[in-house]
PDB file of all heavy atoms in Angstrom:
ATOM      1  N   VAL A 261      -5.409  -0.503   1.340  1.00  0.00           N
ATOM      2  CA  VAL A 261      -5.532   0.475   2.489  1.00  0.00           C
ATOM      3  C   VAL A 261      -6.146   1.747   1.986  1.00  0.00           C
ATOM      4  O   VAL A 261      -5.690   2.289   0.949  1.00  0.00           O
ATOM      5  CB  VAL A 261      -4.240   0.705   3.189  1.00  0.00           C
ATOM      6  CG1 VAL A 261      -4.228   1.827   4.139  1.00  0.00           C
ATOM      7  CG2 VAL A 261      -3.780  -0.596   3.822  1.00  0.00           C
ATOM      8  N   ILE A 262      -7.122   2.349   2.733  1.00  0.00           N
ATOM      9  CA  ILE A 262      -7.555   3.618   2.358  1.00  0.00           C
ATOM     10  C   ILE A 262      -6.804   4.648   3.157  1.00  0.00           C
ATOM     11  O   ILE A 262      -6.674   4.561   4.409  1.00  0.00           O
ATOM     12  CB  ILE A 262      -9.139   3.755   2.679  1.00  0.00           C
ATOM     13  CG1 ILE A 262      -9.788   2.786   1.863  1.00  0.00           C
ATOM     14  CG2 ILE A 262      -9.554   5.179   2.406  1.00  0.00           C
ATOM     15  CD1 ILE A 262     -11.369   2.682   2.134  1.00  0.00           C
ATOM     16  N   ARG A 263      -6.106   5.552   2.468  1.00  0.00           N
ATOM     17  CA  ARG A 263      -5.157   6.447   3.144  1.00  0.00           C
ATOM     18  C   ARG A 263      -5.655   7.893   3.069  1.00  0.00           C
ATOM     19  O   ARG A 263      -6.039   8.355   2.049  1.00  0.00           O
ATOM     20  CB  ARG A 263      -3.832   6.323   2.430  1.00  0.00           C
ATOM     21  CG  ARG A 263      -2.791   7.378   2.865  1.00  0.00           C
ATOM     22  CD  ARG A 263      -1.462   7.137   2.132  1.00  0.00           C
ATOM     23  NE  ARG A 263      -0.414   7.968   2.461  1.00  0.00           N
ATOM     24  CZ  ARG A 263       0.775   7.784   2.003  1.00  0.00           C
ATOM     25  NH1 ARG A 263       1.078   6.804   1.183  1.00  0.00           N
ATOM     26  NH2 ARG A 263       1.744   8.593   2.334  1.00  0.00           N
ATOM     27  N   VAL A 264      -5.528   8.576   4.207  1.00  0.00           N
ATOM     28  CA  VAL A 264      -5.805  10.004   4.230  1.00  0.00           C
ATOM     29  C   VAL A 264      -4.525  10.718   4.738  1.00  0.00           C
ATOM     30  O   VAL A 264      -4.031  10.370   5.721  1.00  0.00           O
ATOM     31  CB  VAL A 264      -6.956  10.327   5.213  1.00  0.00           C
ATOM     32  CG1 VAL A 264      -7.216  11.808   5.238  1.00  0.00           C
ATOM     33  CG2 VAL A 264      -8.240   9.598   4.812  1.00  0.00           C
ATOM     34  N   ASP A 265      -3.993  11.640   3.858  1.00  0.00           N
ATOM     35  CA  ASP A 265      -2.769  12.326   4.313  1.00  0.00           C
ATOM     36  C   ASP A 265      -3.136  13.573   5.047  1.00  0.00           C
ATOM     37  O   ASP A 265      -3.972  14.312   4.647  1.00  0.00           O
ATOM     38  CB  ASP A 265      -1.947  12.597   3.063  1.00  0.00           C
ATOM     39  CG  ASP A 265      -1.279  11.459   2.429  1.00  0.00           C
ATOM     40  OD1 ASP A 265      -0.663  10.665   3.283  1.00  0.00           O
ATOM     41  OD2 ASP A 265      -1.281  11.200   1.245  1.00  0.00           O
ATOM     42  N   VAL A 266      -2.383  13.764   6.139  1.00  0.00           N
ATOM     43  CA  VAL A 266      -2.527  15.034   6.936  1.00  0.00           C
ATOM     44  C   VAL A 266      -1.144  15.606   7.196  1.00  0.00           C
ATOM     45  O   VAL A 266      -0.134  14.919   7.005  1.00  0.00           O
ATOM     46  CB  VAL A 266      -3.268  14.810   8.213  1.00  0.00           C
ATOM     47  CG1 VAL A 266      -4.702  14.310   8.023  1.00  0.00           C
ATOM     48  CG2 VAL A 266      -2.512  13.882   9.136  1.00  0.00           C
ATOM     49  N   GLU A 267      -1.147  16.854   7.585  1.00  0.00           N
ATOM     50  CA  GLU A 267       0.106  17.447   7.939  1.00  0.00           C
ATOM     51  C   GLU A 267       0.273  17.649   9.464  1.00  0.00           C
ATOM     52  O   GLU A 267       1.238  17.326  10.042  1.00  0.00           O
ATOM     53  CB  GLU A 267       0.238  18.785   7.152  1.00  0.00           C
ATOM     54  CG  GLU A 267       1.702  19.226   7.012  1.00  0.00           C
ATOM     55  CD  GLU A 267       1.806  20.546   6.358  1.00  0.00           C
ATOM     56  OE1 GLU A 267       0.895  20.932   5.496  1.00  0.00           O
ATOM     57  OE2 GLU A 267       2.769  21.289   6.659  1.00  0.00           O
ATOM     58  N   THR A 268      -0.749  18.282  10.108  1.00  0.00           N
ATOM     59  CA  THR A 268      -0.677  18.703  11.462  1.00  0.00           C
ATOM     60  C   THR A 268      -1.439  17.830  12.357  1.00  0.00           C
ATOM     61  O   THR A 268      -2.294  17.038  11.952  1.00  0.00           O
ATOM     62  CB  THR A 268      -1.203  20.190  11.629  1.00  0.00           C
ATOM     63  OG1 THR A 268      -2.645  20.055  11.340  1.00  0.00           O
ATOM     64  CG2 THR A 268      -0.570  21.136  10.627  1.00  0.00           C
ATOM     65  N   ALA A 269      -1.151  17.936  13.668  1.00  0.00           N
ATOM     66  CA  ALA A 269      -1.857  17.166  14.633  1.00  0.00           C
ATOM     67  C   ALA A 269      -3.330  17.537  14.678  1.00  0.00           C
ATOM     68  O   ALA A 269      -4.154  16.646  14.825  1.00  0.00           O
ATOM     69  CB  ALA A 269      -1.250  17.478  16.084  1.00  0.00           C
ATOM     70  N   THR A 270      -3.591  18.871  14.515  1.00  0.00           N
ATOM     71  CA  THR A 270      -5.016  19.261  14.471  1.00  0.00           C
ATOM     72  C   THR A 270      -5.803  18.534  13.360  1.00  0.00           C
ATOM     73  O   THR A 270      -6.940  18.138  13.486  1.00  0.00           O
ATOM     74  CB  THR A 270      -5.093  20.797  14.329  1.00  0.00           C
ATOM     75  OG1 THR A 270      -4.131  21.373  15.239  1.00  0.00           O
ATOM     76  CG2 THR A 270      -6.486  21.334  14.606  1.00  0.00           C
ATOM     77  N   GLN A 271      -5.106  18.536  12.164  1.00  0.00           N
ATOM     78  CA  GLN A 271      -5.798  17.804  10.984  1.00  0.00           C
ATOM     79  C   GLN A 271      -5.968  16.322  11.292  1.00  0.00           C
ATOM     80  O   GLN A 271      -6.913  15.705  11.010  1.00  0.00           O
ATOM     81  CB  GLN A 271      -4.981  18.036   9.755  1.00  0.00           C
ATOM     82  CG  GLN A 271      -4.949  19.403   9.169  1.00  0.00           C
ATOM     83  CD  GLN A 271      -3.915  19.599   8.200  1.00  0.00           C
ATOM     84  OE1 GLN A 271      -2.970  18.736   7.941  1.00  0.00           O
ATOM     85  NE2 GLN A 271      -3.876  20.844   7.566  1.00  0.00           N
ATOM     86  N   MET A 272      -4.912  15.732  11.942  1.00  0.00           N
ATOM     87  CA  MET A 272      -4.977  14.363  12.224  1.00  0.00           C
ATOM     88  C   MET A 272      -6.138  14.045  13.202  1.00  0.00           C
ATOM     89  O   MET A 272      -6.946  13.112  12.980  1.00  0.00           O
ATOM     90  CB  MET A 272      -3.631  13.856  12.780  1.00  0.00           C
ATOM     91  CG  MET A 272      -3.549  12.340  12.968  1.00  0.00           C
ATOM     92  SD  MET A 272      -1.938  11.746  13.524  1.00  0.00           S
ATOM     93  CE  MET A 272      -1.055  11.620  11.942  1.00  0.00           C
ATOM     94  N   ALA A 273      -6.250  14.867  14.213  1.00  0.00           N
ATOM     95  CA  ALA A 273      -7.370  14.727  15.209  1.00  0.00           C
ATOM     96  C   ALA A 273      -8.697  14.766  14.492  1.00  0.00           C
ATOM     97  O   ALA A 273      -9.564  13.940  14.771  1.00  0.00           O
ATOM     98  CB  ALA A 273      -7.231  15.794  16.246  1.00  0.00           C
ATOM     99  N   ALA A 274      -8.880  15.718  13.551  1.00  0.00           N
ATOM    100  CA  ALA A 274     -10.151  15.878  12.879  1.00  0.00           C
ATOM    101  C   ALA A 274     -10.446  14.609  12.010  1.00  0.00           C
ATOM    102  O   ALA A 274     -11.576  14.113  11.987  1.00  0.00           O
ATOM    103  CB  ALA A 274     -10.141  17.180  12.026  1.00  0.00           C
ATOM    104  N   GLU A 275      -9.394  14.134  11.349  1.00  0.00           N
ATOM    105  CA  GLU A 275      -9.626  12.964  10.425  1.00  0.00           C
ATOM    106  C   GLU A 275      -9.888  11.762  11.226  1.00  0.00           C
ATOM    107  O   GLU A 275     -10.671  10.884  10.838  1.00  0.00           O
ATOM    108  CB  GLU A 275      -8.394  12.780   9.531  1.00  0.00           C
ATOM    109  CG  GLU A 275      -8.204  13.819   8.453  1.00  0.00           C
ATOM    110  CD  GLU A 275      -9.328  13.888   7.446  1.00  0.00           C
ATOM    111  OE1 GLU A 275     -10.158  12.893   7.321  1.00  0.00           O
ATOM    112  OE2 GLU A 275      -9.516  14.955   6.747  1.00  0.00           O
ATOM    113  N   VAL A 276      -9.239  11.630  12.409  1.00  0.00           N
ATOM    114  CA  VAL A 276      -9.487  10.431  13.261  1.00  0.00           C
ATOM    115  C   VAL A 276     -10.953  10.462  13.708  1.00  0.00           C
ATOM    116  O   VAL A 276     -11.685   9.431  13.655  1.00  0.00           O
ATOM    117  CB  VAL A 276      -8.568  10.359  14.456  1.00  0.00           C
ATOM    118  CG1 VAL A 276      -9.003   9.423  15.538  1.00  0.00           C
ATOM    119  CG2 VAL A 276      -7.138  10.066  14.044  1.00  0.00           C
ATOM    120  N   GLN A 277     -11.342  11.619  14.152  1.00  0.00           N
ATOM    121  CA  GLN A 277     -12.824  11.715  14.600  1.00  0.00           C
ATOM    122  C   GLN A 277     -13.731  11.345  13.480  1.00  0.00           C
ATOM    123  O   GLN A 277     -14.738  10.653  13.681  1.00  0.00           O
ATOM    124  CB  GLN A 277     -12.989  13.236  15.029  1.00  0.00           C
ATOM    125  CG  GLN A 277     -14.135  13.438  16.048  1.00  0.00           C
ATOM    126  CD  GLN A 277     -13.977  12.579  17.280  1.00  0.00           C
ATOM    127  OE1 GLN A 277     -12.915  12.544  17.863  1.00  0.00           O
ATOM    128  NE2 GLN A 277     -15.013  11.710  17.604  1.00  0.00           N
ATOM    129  N   GLU A 278     -13.436  11.837  12.296  1.00  0.00           N
ATOM    130  CA  GLU A 278     -14.238  11.600  11.097  1.00  0.00           C
ATOM    131  C   GLU A 278     -14.238  10.116  10.808  1.00  0.00           C
ATOM    132  O   GLU A 278     -15.309   9.545  10.337  1.00  0.00           O
ATOM    133  CB  GLU A 278     -13.565  12.333   9.975  1.00  0.00           C
ATOM    134  CG  GLU A 278     -14.307  12.317   8.625  1.00  0.00           C
ATOM    135  CD  GLU A 278     -15.348  13.352   8.564  1.00  0.00           C
ATOM    136  OE1 GLU A 278     -15.595  14.064   9.518  1.00  0.00           O
ATOM    137  OE2 GLU A 278     -15.965  13.402   7.488  1.00  0.00           O
ATOM    138  N   GLY A 279     -13.183   9.419  11.078  1.00  0.00           N
ATOM    139  CA  GLY A 279     -13.078   7.967  10.740  1.00  0.00           C
ATOM    140  C   GLY A 279     -13.737   7.009  11.682  1.00  0.00           C
ATOM    141  O   GLY A 279     -14.068   5.874  11.393  1.00  0.00           O
ATOM    142  N   LEU A 280     -14.174   7.557  12.865  1.00  0.00           N
ATOM    143  CA  LEU A 280     -14.895   6.741  13.833  1.00  0.00           C
ATOM    144  C   LEU A 280     -16.363   6.480  13.385  1.00  0.00           C
ATOM    145  O   LEU A 280     -16.902   7.311  12.621  1.00  0.00           O
ATOM    146  CB  LEU A 280     -14.914   7.285  15.206  1.00  0.00           C
ATOM    147  CG  LEU A 280     -13.466   7.603  15.800  1.00  0.00           C
ATOM    148  CD1 LEU A 280     -13.553   8.265  17.151  1.00  0.00           C
ATOM    149  CD2 LEU A 280     -12.774   6.277  15.957  1.00  0.00           C
ATOM    150  N   PRO A 281     -17.073   5.457  13.727  1.00  0.00           N
ATOM    151  CA  PRO A 281     -16.615   4.342  14.645  1.00  0.00           C
ATOM    152  C   PRO A 281     -15.861   3.294  13.879  1.00  0.00           C
ATOM    153  O   PRO A 281     -15.991   3.086  12.731  1.00  0.00           O
ATOM    154  CB  PRO A 281     -17.983   3.765  15.146  1.00  0.00           C
ATOM    155  CG  PRO A 281     -18.905   4.059  13.919  1.00  0.00           C
ATOM    156  CD  PRO A 281     -18.447   5.301  13.336  1.00  0.00           C
ATOM    157  N   VAL A 282     -14.950   2.620  14.709  1.00  0.00           N
ATOM    158  CA  VAL A 282     -14.182   1.471  14.144  1.00  0.00           C
ATOM    159  C   VAL A 282     -14.160   0.394  15.228  1.00  0.00           C
ATOM    160  O   VAL A 282     -14.537   0.636  16.360  1.00  0.00           O
ATOM    161  CB  VAL A 282     -12.769   1.891  13.814  1.00  0.00           C
ATOM    162  CG1 VAL A 282     -12.682   2.850  12.605  1.00  0.00           C
ATOM    163  CG2 VAL A 282     -12.042   2.530  15.020  1.00  0.00           C
ATOM    164  N   ASP A 283     -13.758  -0.735  14.826  1.00  0.00           N
ATOM    165  CA  ASP A 283     -13.645  -1.927  15.795  1.00  0.00           C
ATOM    166  C   ASP A 283     -12.405  -1.723  16.651  1.00  0.00           C
ATOM    167  O   ASP A 283     -12.367  -2.032  17.801  1.00  0.00           O
ATOM    168  CB  ASP A 283     -13.650  -3.209  15.128  1.00  0.00           C
ATOM    169  CG  ASP A 283     -14.962  -3.465  14.350  1.00  0.00           C
ATOM    170  OD1 ASP A 283     -16.000  -3.409  15.014  1.00  0.00           O
ATOM    171  OD2 ASP A 283     -14.911  -3.686  13.159  1.00  0.00           O
ATOM    172  N   ALA A 284     -11.323  -1.261  16.029  1.00  0.00           N
ATOM    173  CA  ALA A 284     -10.060  -1.053  16.781  1.00  0.00           C
ATOM    174  C   ALA A 284      -9.341   0.145  16.190  1.00  0.00           C
ATOM    175  O   ALA A 284      -9.382   0.368  14.962  1.00  0.00           O
ATOM    176  CB  ALA A 284      -9.184  -2.279  16.670  1.00  0.00           C
ATOM    177  N   ALA A 285      -8.712   0.974  17.003  1.00  0.00           N
ATOM    178  CA  ALA A 285      -7.922   2.055  16.560  1.00  0.00           C
ATOM    179  C   ALA A 285      -6.484   1.860  17.116  1.00  0.00           C
ATOM    180  O   ALA A 285      -6.294   1.470  18.334  1.00  0.00           O
ATOM    181  CB  ALA A 285      -8.442   3.378  17.037  1.00  0.00           C
ATOM    182  N   ILE A 286      -5.541   2.017  16.222  1.00  0.00           N
ATOM    183  CA  ILE A 286      -4.119   1.825  16.632  1.00  0.00           C
ATOM    184  C   ILE A 286      -3.344   3.119  16.337  1.00  0.00           C
ATOM    185  O   ILE A 286      -3.207   3.450  15.194  1.00  0.00           O
ATOM    186  CB  ILE A 286      -3.432   0.606  15.883  1.00  0.00           C
ATOM    187  CG1 ILE A 286      -4.450  -0.601  15.841  1.00  0.00           C
ATOM    188  CG2 ILE A 286      -2.141   0.230  16.472  1.00  0.00           C
ATOM    189  CD1 ILE A 286      -4.077  -1.622  14.885  1.00  0.00           C
TER     190      ILE A 286
END
Side-chain angles (χ1 to χ4, degrees):
V261 166
I262 298 173
R263 171 180 183 171
V264 177
D265 284 316
V266 296
E267 200 184 332
T268 66
T270 314
Q271 290 164 356
M272 188 175 274
E275 290 296 343
V276 167
Q277 204 54 51
E278 185 85 356
L280 299 177
V282 291
D283 297 305
I286 314 167

